Amino acid sequence: MEAALLKIVQTVNMYLSDYILIIMLIGCGLFFSIKTKFVQVRCFKEGWNSVFGNIKLKGEKQNGGMSSFQALTTAIAAQVGTGNIVGACGAILIGGPGAIFWMWVIAFFGMATIYAEAVLAQETRKVNADGTVAGGPVYYIMHAFKGGFGKFLAGFFAIATVLALGFMGAMVQSNSIGESMNTAFNIPTWVIGAIVAALSAIVFIGGVQRLASVTEKIVPLMATFYILGGLIVLICRIKFIPETFALIFKYAFNPTAMIGGSIGFAIKQAISQGAKRGLFSNEAGMGSTPHAHAQAKVKNPHEQGVVAMMGVFIDTFIVLTMTALVVISTLYVGDGVLAKGVAAGVPEGVAKTNMAQLAFGSVFGEGIGSGFVAICLLFFAFSTIIGWNFFGRINVEYIFGKKAVLPYSIIAIVFVFLGSILSNDLVWELTDMFNQLMVIPNVMALLALTGIVTASVKNAGKSKDGRLETK
């Protein structure tokens, strides 16, 4: 039964990722890039200064909602997860090194898309009587489409989000934690699952303020730790860096020698893997991170929009790219085990779940490399679990009301534990399917509300200090 279900889900995902997803994501990102006159380029400096000029590991307690930085770290907590390590490795393994190029393309245009998401989340959010904030795609979907059609789309999105992020997504993350810790330290996966479930419960039940407090501390530290480790590997493999970049660009357009098959099949694999794993990594257009950006206390929606762009930049162009460069420079060049590609078959002992460990292990040594990746995955995946649970909780509350939040949290904790001991392939495919289904109503609403987004950009003028501010 599991094999039959896996085949059905894989077929659905093939059509979604190879056709619908590529058209919607690239099309939406290109559309908003043009309509905003490439806000991701013009306002990049503003977003950079807003984020890196305001880093605080202990922010002030918010009386409802979050600070802009807390909202960003909550968004990045969800974005930077197994997709940046296991997902990137899977994209390279199946689509070749060229898949990373298409991830960059998706991310560049996705920065304009996520600007639109954050602006609309701010514009349509609702502040409750107790000071708590409710916001996200369900609210701007309802704003875009009135009547029964809007309710249907919002409900469809909410259900897909709860399944994709609150339940299935949590399983993917805990599964990756369990496997990596078992490989590195020989700890039984069920033990890791129980520990992660217990830690998750503490945050889940603590509410939005505890979530914000955890993410603003863990996200900067975990990203810095991983990047430093990656830089050490790249320094040791520095003579292969030019060849590494050459492989990415070469096999973006001619991946047949690397993955086999016809030129049409190979390019489709490279692009679809880049799109699918790019979405799973940076989440631009998926509709997940607007839940966090709606919580931000800012002067105007544009301010959070440019901050949101930095989340995609950090996720893809820094963290995910670090994984790609480490993996390609160690496994795909020189005497690497994948230097001849996978056209004739994947070498024994190589899989997307352990490629990063093999890559770091080739420089650090097998034991240290496996341990380093396992620890990074623990922090990355745990932060994603708590971020995604929060997004799911907002949608549960939208559908069923506040009374359903506690039962939802308990069920989510169970899924965290189950993910550490169940099949990896089916869990990944189900998560991909619901992630991709979220895109459809979200992008429809973004396009319908283009006027609000463009007005946000048009109302921004330059001040004397070089920052963009709403007039």
Side-chain angles (χ1 to χ4, degrees):
M1 183 176 178
E2 182 178 322
L5 179 60
L6 177 61
K7 187 174 181 180
I8 293 171
V9 175
Q10 285 175 330
T11 302
V12 173
N13 282 342
M14 179 185 71
Y15 285 101
L16 286 172
S17 62
D18 290 0
Y19 305 103
I20 297 173
L21 191 65
I22 291 174
I23 294 172
M24 294 192 80
L25 285 181
I26 296 181
C28 183
L30 180 59
F31 175 78
F32 278 109
S33 294
I34 294 171
K35 295 294 288 186
T36 62
K37 298 179 181 178
F38 288 87
V39 66
Q40 67 269 53
V41 177
R42 294 191 300 110
C43 299
F44 181 85
K45 182 180 179 181
E46 180 191 3
W48 181 274
N49 291 340
S50 295
V51 172
F52 292 98
N54 193 36
I55 292 180
K56 295 179 181 178
L57 298 185
K58 188 177 181 181
E60 296 178 3
K61 186 175 181 180
Q62 304 295 314
N63 185 20
M66 305 177 184
S67 69
S68 179
F69 182 71
Q70 288 175 332
L72 176 67
T73 56
T74 300
I76 294 177
Q79 291 168 305
V80 178
T82 57
N84 295 78
I85 299 180
V86 179
C89 291
I92 296 170
L93 188 64
I94 299 172
I100 299 302
F101 172 83
W102 297 110
M103 281 188 171
W104 289 341
V105 172
I106 289 287
F108 175 75
F109 291 121
M111 289 173 72
T113 302
I114 210 164
Y115 173 86
E117 289 180 299
V119 165
L120 293 176
Q122 280 283 319
E123 290 280 6
T124 59
R125 72 180 196 156
K126 300 183 183 300
V127 180
N128 300 319
D130 60 358
T132 59
V133 177
V138 290
Y139 295 94
Y140 58 70
I141 289 172
M142 290 287 289
H143 187 80
F145 304 105
K146 309 298 183 183
F149 184 61
K151 290 181 180 178
F152 168 76
L153 284 181
F156 178 87
F157 176 88
I159 292 171
T161 300
V162 173
L163 292 174
L165 307 185
F167 297 151
M168 301 298 177
M171 294 179 73
V172 164
Q173 305 297 330
S174 63
N175 186 284
S176 296
I177 294 172
E179 287 195 5
S180 63
M181 296 297 282
N182 178 259
T183 300
F185 306 112
N186 201 31
I187 304 173
T189 56
W190 72 266
V191 173
I192 297 299
I195 294 172
V196 174
L199 293 174
S200 299
I202 295 171
V203 181
F204 291 177
I205 298 173
V208 65
Q209 294 303 319
R210 184 172 296 171
L211 169 69
S213 177
V214 170
T215 59
E216 71 179 350
K217 295 176 179 64
I218 195 174
V219 167
L221 294 176
M222 74 180 189
T224 301
F225 180 65
Y226 184 68
I227 291 167
L228 288 175
L231 286 174
I232 293 173
V233 173
L234 296 184
I235 290 171
C236 293
R237 303 286 291 181
I238 194 166
K239 68 177 182 179
F240 295 106
I241 299 303
E243 185 179 353
T244 296
F245 278 101
L247 289 180
I248 292 174
F249 288 100
K250 175 183 177 180
Y251 291 117
F253 302 97
N254 185 27
T256 51
M258 184 62 67
I259 63 177
S262 66
I263 183 66
F265 168 80
I267 289 179
K268 188 180 76 170
Q269 282 287 85
I271 296 175
S272 66
Q273 284 298 313
K276 182 165 64 174
R277 292 304 168 206
L279 170 67
F280 187 77
S281 175
N282 65 56
E283 303 182 26
M286 193 169 82
S288 54
T289 58
H291 297 98
H293 294 301
Q295 301 288 320
K297 292 183 175 181
V298 289
K299 295 178 181 178
N300 55 72
H302 170 79
E303 185 177 328
Q304 193 60 25
V306 296
V307 167
M309 295 191 309
M310 293 301 101
V312 174
F313 180 81
I314 293 168
D315 172 88
T316 301
F317 290 103
I318 296 180
V319 181
L320 185 143
T321 297
M322 181 61 70
T323 299
L325 295 180
V326 167
V327 167
I328 297 171
S329 68
T330 56
L331 304 184
Y332 281 83
V333 300
D335 58 353
V337 296
L338 291 165
K340 296 181 180 179
V342 296
V346 179
E348 186 177 353
V350 177
K352 66 182 181 183
T353 54
N354 72 343
M355 281 178 67
Q357 291 175 315
L358 292 173
F360 279 95
S362 67
V363 173
F364 293 159
E366 183 178 348
I368 296 176
S370 293
F372 175 80
V373 174
I375 292 171
C376 289
L377 265 176
L378 172 63
F379 284 104
F380 281 19
F382 176 69
S383 70
T384 299
I385 288 172
I386 60 177
W388 279 0
N389 177 267
F390 173 61
F391 303 160
R393 182 168 62 203
I394 291 173
N395 288 276
V396 165
E397 189 171 331
Y398 168 80
I399 301 170
F400 302 109
K402 288 188 176 182
K403 64 181 183 298
V405 170
L406 182 59
Y408 159 75
S409 298
I410 294 172
I411 296 171
I413 292 166
V414 173
F415 270 80
V416 170
F417 174 74
L418 291 176
S420 65
I421 59 177
L422 294 182
S423 167
N424 187 42
D425 289 338
L426 181 58
V427 171
W428 270 93
E429 291 293 340
L430 284 170
T431 303
D432 281 342
M433 184 178 74
F434 287 113
N435 280 345
Q436 292 167 150
L437 289 174
M438 288 169 60
V439 173
I440 298 172
N442 183 60
V443 169
M444 288 174 62
L446 293 178
L447 295 175
L449 298 174
T450 301
I452 297 176
V453 178
T454 55
S456 177
V457 178
K458 288 178 181 178
N459 289 336
K462 228 170 190 184
S463 65
K464 293 180 180 179
D465 63 358
R467 282 178 52 83
L468 289 169
E469 59 183 15
T470 296
K471 290 181 179 178

